[in-house]
Structure formats: C-alpha cells, structure tokens
Amino acid sequence: MATKTDVLVVGGGIVGQVAAIEIASSGASTIVVDAGRDSGSTANAGSLHVQMQSRFMRLYPDQVPALEASLPLYCAAVREWDHLDKKYGPFGMVRNGGLMLAETVDQMEFLKAKAEREHRANVDVEILDRDALDEIAPWLGPQIIGAELCRNEGKLDPLAANLRLREEASRLGVQFAQDQITSIDERNGMAVAVGSTDTWHADRIVLAAAWGTGSLLSDLGLAMPTKPEPLHMNITEPCAAHIGHLVQHADRSITLKQLSGGQVVIGGGWPADDRRMARVPGVRCTSLVGNVALAARLVPSIGKVRVLRTWAGINTTIDGASTVGPVPNAKRIIVAVPGDAGYTLGPLVAKMAASFVTGSDQPFDAGAFSPARFAF
Ligand SMILES: Cc1cc2nc3c(=O)[nH]c(=O)nc-3n(C[C@H](O)[C@H](O)[C@H](O)COP(=O)(O)OP(=O)(O)OC[C@H]3O[C@@H](n4cnc5c(N)ncnc54)[C@H](O)[C@@H]3O)c2cc1C
C-alpha cells in the first residue's frame, strides 16, 4: 500500500496529538500513525512540573545542566497548558503550586541551593519552614521540617485531556492509523515513512515517537539516545484528604497529588519491569509497596486509603533537554521529543515542531533544542 498526505505525524501521544491539531488547523491534510504500543501519555500522572526534580538530579547528574538550561521552557510549557485548558478543557487543571519536602537539615540545604539556581532562571520558588507549611499544607506528616514551594506547578487529569484533544483532532479532520514505522527518509522531494503495513508519502513528517525516535534517525546521520524507562503508578479510592498541591520529596522518588474526584495519584519514578516492548511493562510489587508506604509517611491521613489500581508505562529519557526541529540532512522530517516531564512539555514542544511545518511564529525559540546536536 502507499498513502499520501500533506503531513504525517509518527506517534500519537500528547506531542503527536497537539502537533496534529496545530497542523490540521492550518488546512493541511494530516495523518497520525502510531504503532499502538506503550505511550507515556496514556500512562502518566498528570503532574505539571517546573522545578528540577530531585529524582532526575540523583539519577542523571550529567544531564542536569541541560535540564537547568531548559527551565524557561518549563515555565512557558505550563502557560501553554493554561491556554489549552481554556481552549479545549476543562482538564481538571489546578495550579496551586508544587511542594518538594525536606525531612532533614541536609535536604533543606539541598532545596535552598536548588531554589537559588531556579530563582535565577525566573522560576517562582520560595523556601518554607514548618510554620509556613502548616498555613498551606497542614496535612503533612510531623517529621517534615520544610519545603521548596514552586508556584508555577500544578496538576491535571491526563485522561480527560487526552480524550478532549483526540476529539478536537478528529473534528479538524485528522486521521488516525495504526502502523509500526520501520524507517524514514527523503525521496524525490517527499518525506517517506515505511511501515509494517503501508508506505507513507508526505510533504513533511513530524517524528513524535518518544522512545521509538532514536532508531528511526540512525540512517539520517543522527545518534539520538532515546531510551525507554518503565515506571510505576498507583491511584487510590476517593478520600477527604484535601491535598491542594503537587507533592515531591527532596531525596526520595515520589509525586503525589489529589484529583478533583478525591483520588490520590501516587508515582514519581519507581521502576517497572521492562518487557522489551513486546508487552506493556510489568508492575513490581516492591515499587507498589515502597511507593505507597512513602506516600503514607508524608501524608499520614491517606495511610488507610485503599489503592484501587496500579499500572506501569514507558517514559523516555534523552540527554536532559527536549529535541525539536528539522533533521539537518533531511529537512522535511521534524523531530519533536520532549525532555524530562514530557507531558508538561508536550503541548509546547508540539507547537514548536508544528511551526516548522506551517511557517507560523515559533512559540518558543527552538534554537537550543535542535536535533543537530546528535549529528555524527
Ligand atoms: C508512569 C509515568 C508517569 C509519568 N508522569 C508524568 C507526569 O506526571 N508529568 C509529566 O510531565 N510527565 C510524566 N511522564 C512522562 C510523560 O508521560 C511522557 O514524557 C510524555 O507523555 C511523552 O509524550 P510523547 O507524545 O512524546 O510520547 P508518548 O506518549 O510516549 O507516545 C509515543 C508514541 O509513539 C509511538 N511509536 C513509537 N515508535 C513508533 C514507531 N516506530 N512507529 C509508530 N509509532 C511509534 C508509540 O506507540 C507511542 O504511542 C510520565 C511517564 C510515565 C511512564
């Protein structure tokens, strides 16, 4: 088979969907093709992250400079979510800020130093002692001595957002297809994607395939190190805890937040089992127990609330920064892969990628995020 379209978007996660909406809005015929495998966008926790996550800093210290240089992108990305929520929502979005908690003096010192760096990048952060925390988060455990508050942060319901954005894309005439793309290149003035069931010809291809992107670029002179990272999630039954903020920890992996329906979503980077993409990643009992036990220590009132569901999904790591822009040797192919906390960054990265297709103004300068940095 051979199918022609103005624009082919490879990958139907948050980036692919928002890119397709932008591109179809300009009048171009647009097809989103997806392998139907693991999408971070359908597994994620709905945290809107801005401050540097302590987990990322511990696990990937070599990537922290790229993350830190990206802080203005994170600030702009949550504003983009505000815009999307107004236009297509509501997505259950709340922007009360995020707390990163400290239980020891060393953790407070870490947060103070981090907050100074973030403040220099114009992130809205403040260090709170326990008395100040009691004013806004009296539900925290007694051992918490303070926190970093990042006012830019928030939370939303990703299931609601994914559904509404998909409806909007369909309304604009975007078509969705299932195919595993095995190679892409440029031929005879067209961008061509070869899949397991079809060959796709397009004026432009937007490559928004997250963990699947790197292998598709290796024949085009780019060694982009996209790696799948299987992660664990939990959600509880509704409860009356009234947790208004996104909660993280200065030294332990956790994100915790309450949805508008009362359920508490608990995750933050506990590992799941990689099953080599053949099946969805497997849930680990140690992650389930460790993650919820830590949550109950930080917010004691949820200690007796039941976990309703637990699941795992594939996150993507690169080099600490997002990657957006045309492939240097094949300019009809535009890469769109967000950096860490890719659901937060997704819509803005998608709009930046779409602007290379439609010629509209860049919503954020993509210069620092070019795939050219992976050229070999
Ligand atoms: C458990 C978990 C919790 C998370 N929580 C948060 C959070 O709270 N906040 C936050 O900001 N981020 C979070 N993330 C990260 C975030 O979900 C992802 O970074 C983001 O959703 C990535 O969006 P995407 O559109 O780039 O890619 P994805 O949503 O991963 O979609 C990529 C798509 O590409 C398709 N694909 C790949 N290769 C091919 C190919 N060769 N051919 C065709 N299709 C292909 C896949 O099938 C997939 O559907 C979390 C991730 C996980 C796993």
Side-chain angles (χ1 to χ4, degrees):
M1 279 177 68
T3 302
K4 276 193 178 165
T5 181
D6 290 338
V7 180
L8 181 75
V9 178
V10 180
I14 186 69
V15 176
Q17 292 213 43
V18 175
I21 287 172
E22 287 297 304
I23 292 163
S25 301
S26 76
S29 64
T30 307
I31 299 177
V32 175
V33 64
D34 193 290
R37 302 258 291 277
D38 295 305
S39 150
S41 303
T42 53
N44 85 94
S47 313
L48 293 176
H49 290 287
V50 173
Q51 64 176 306
M52 292 187 283
Q53 293 187 62
S54 60
R55 170 187 182 270
F56 188 90
M57 297 172 83
R58 273 193 314 281
L59 287 184
Y60 308 108
D62 53 316
Q63 299 185 21
V64 171
L67 176 73
E68 192 164 357
S70 302
L71 285 170
L73 185 74
Y74 285 85
C75 294
V78 288
R79 290 196 297 272
E80 183 58 39
W81 267 113
D82 283 337
H83 170 72
L84 277 190
D85 186 55
K86 282 194 189 78
K87 197 162 175 191
Y88 305 121
F91 305 144
M93 190 166 149
V94 177
R95 282 241 268 135
N96 283 347
L99 292 169
M100 191 174 285
L101 309 178
E103 295 177 282
T104 67
V105 172
D106 282 354
Q107 291 166 7
M108 275 307 277
E109 291 307 312
F110 165 77
L111 290 179
K112 283 178 189 163
K114 187 168 86 71
E116 270 176 33
R117 289 156 66 179
E118 290 161 340
H119 185 68
R120 281 199 288 275
N122 293 323
V123 182
D124 189 352
V125 288
E126 186 184 343
I127 295 294
L128 304 180
D129 63 15
R130 180 68 212 211
D131 287 345
L133 264 183
D134 279 338
E135 298 284 317
I136 61 167
W139 31 267
L140 288 169
Q143 79 285 10
I144 309 296
I145 62 171
E148 179 180 358
L149 168 66
C150 175
R151 289 198 183 78
N152 310 68
E153 294 190 320
K155 55 187 180 178
L156 54 76
D157 179 348
L159 298 182
N162 292 341
L163 195 66
R164 277 297 300 120
L165 293 171
R166 171 85 176 220
E167 283 169 0
E168 181 60 18
S170 297
R171 193 188 67 76
L172 289 164
V174 174
Q175 291 178 43
F176 291 86
Q178 184 161 348
D179 198 5
Q180 167 88 33
I181 302 302
T182 51
S183 71
I184 51 171
D185 63 12
E186 283 186 356
R187 278 182 233 158
N188 307 323
M190 297 289 280
V192 180
V194 178
S196 306
T197 57
D198 205 341
T199 299
W200 306 85
H201 297 260
D203 185 50
R204 295 279 191 286
I205 290 177
V206 175
L207 190 47
W211 45 264
T213 303
S215 63
L216 293 173
L217 289 172
S218 54
D219 289 342
L220 295 171
L222 295 182
M224 185 174 164
T226 48
K227 291 194 190 71
E229 183 185 45
L231 297 180
H232 182 95
M233 286 300 313
N234 310 287
I235 187 165
T236 72
E237 63 186 338
C239 65
H242 302 299
I243 304 165
H245 297 83
L246 167 64
V247 177
Q248 298 185 75
H249 193 279
D251 192 45
R252 301 293 309 278
S253 297
I254 190 158
T255 61
L256 184 157
K257 76 191 80 70
Q258 194 168 22
L259 300 180
S260 55
Q263 307 96 322
V264 182
V265 179
I266 304 165
W270 287 68
D273 280 327
D274 189 353
R275 299 201 281 200
R276 300 266 156 220
M277 298 294 165
R279 292 177 293 154
V280 291
V283 168
R284 282 189 199 171
C285 194
T286 47
S287 287
L288 166 56
V289 174
N291 200 187
V292 299
L294 176 59
R297 191 176 93 203
L298 302 179
V299 184
S301 60
I302 63 169
K304 291 210 162 58
V305 175
R306 288 174 300 182
V307 172
L308 282 190
R309 193 161 65 89
T310 204
W311 69 94
I314 298 286
N315 190 37
T316 302
T317 66
I318 322 172
D319 63 351
S322 301
T323 308
V324 196
V327 173
N329 296 338
K331 293 207 175 344
R332 291 179 181 277
I333 299 164
I334 290 115
V335 181
V337 183
D340 190 53
Y343 201 75
T344 305
L345 294 172
L348 182 57
V349 163
K351 277 197 165 182
M352 290 158 71
S355 71
F356 284 100
V357 176
T358 62
S360 61
D361 289 344
Q362 282 277 327
F364 194 95
D365 184 0
F369 307 107
S370 167
R373 69 185 187 274
F374 301 118
F376 59 82

